[in-house]
Amino acid sequence: MRRTNSSWLNAIVYTVSTSILLAGLILRILVVWPHARYILLLGSLGYLWAVVAYRAGKDTLRIRRLIRLAHFSGLLWLAGTVCLFFKSELWILFFSVACVFMLYSNIALSRRHSKSHSK
């Protein structure tokens, strides 16, 4: 991973945004709080910003695809939040697919990152 001056800021924004997304989902699904969509909007915008700002050191084809998958996941989080504002039930589909893409791309990127540091 190429270290820039703002890489620590991106890591913080990513961690906080992911926590906000989790809290928003808990508030929306378990508590059924109608204003959780604002929390989810904040989390999805932060997550999208963090993954778009991420830069990998060695851009192999696989890493570029994983980064694009993370970008797409951020867009799906945002689309699901927009569905909440328009009172559409498609938010469940968008959030489910975004969660799967997010987990896959982040786990695969972190495994690649740890392999490159161990060499």
Side-chain angles (χ1 to χ4, degrees):
M1 180 173 172
R2 184 176 20 164
R3 293 286 177 191
T4 62
N5 293 337
S6 65
S7 65
W8 62 272
L9 179 64
N10 290 339
I12 291 171
V13 169
Y14 171 79
T15 304
V16 169
S17 298
T18 305
S19 301
I20 290 172
L21 281 172
L22 181 62
L25 284 175
I26 289 171
L27 288 173
R28 176 67 184 161
I29 295 171
L30 298 179
V31 181
V32 192
W33 188 45
H35 299 296
R37 60 185 177 207
Y38 298 108
I39 294 172
L40 286 164
L41 178 64
L42 179 67
S44 63
L45 287 174
Y47 177 78
L48 184 61
W49 181 73
V51 296
V52 167
Y54 175 76
R55 298 283 182 255
K58 296 179 182 177
D59 287 342
T60 64
L61 183 61
R62 177 167 169 79
I63 290 175
R64 282 186 299 208
R65 286 181 181 166
L66 288 170
I67 291 171
R68 278 192 298 251
L69 188 62
H71 293 171
F72 187 60
S73 171
L75 290 173
L76 286 173
W77 282 113
L78 192 59
T81 304
V82 169
C83 286
L84 283 174
F85 279 99
F86 288 110
K87 297 181 178 32
S88 172
E89 293 299 320
L90 287 174
W91 67 270
I92 299 168
L93 176 68
F94 283 121
F95 286 171
S96 300
V97 174
C99 188
V100 169
F101 287 171
M102 177 180 163
L103 287 172
Y104 175 74
S105 63
N106 292 335
I107 289 171
L109 280 171
S110 66
R111 288 185 66 190
R112 284 285 204 192
H113 182 68
S114 65
K115 281 183 183 178
S116 67
H117 276 331
S118 66
K119 289 183 180 179

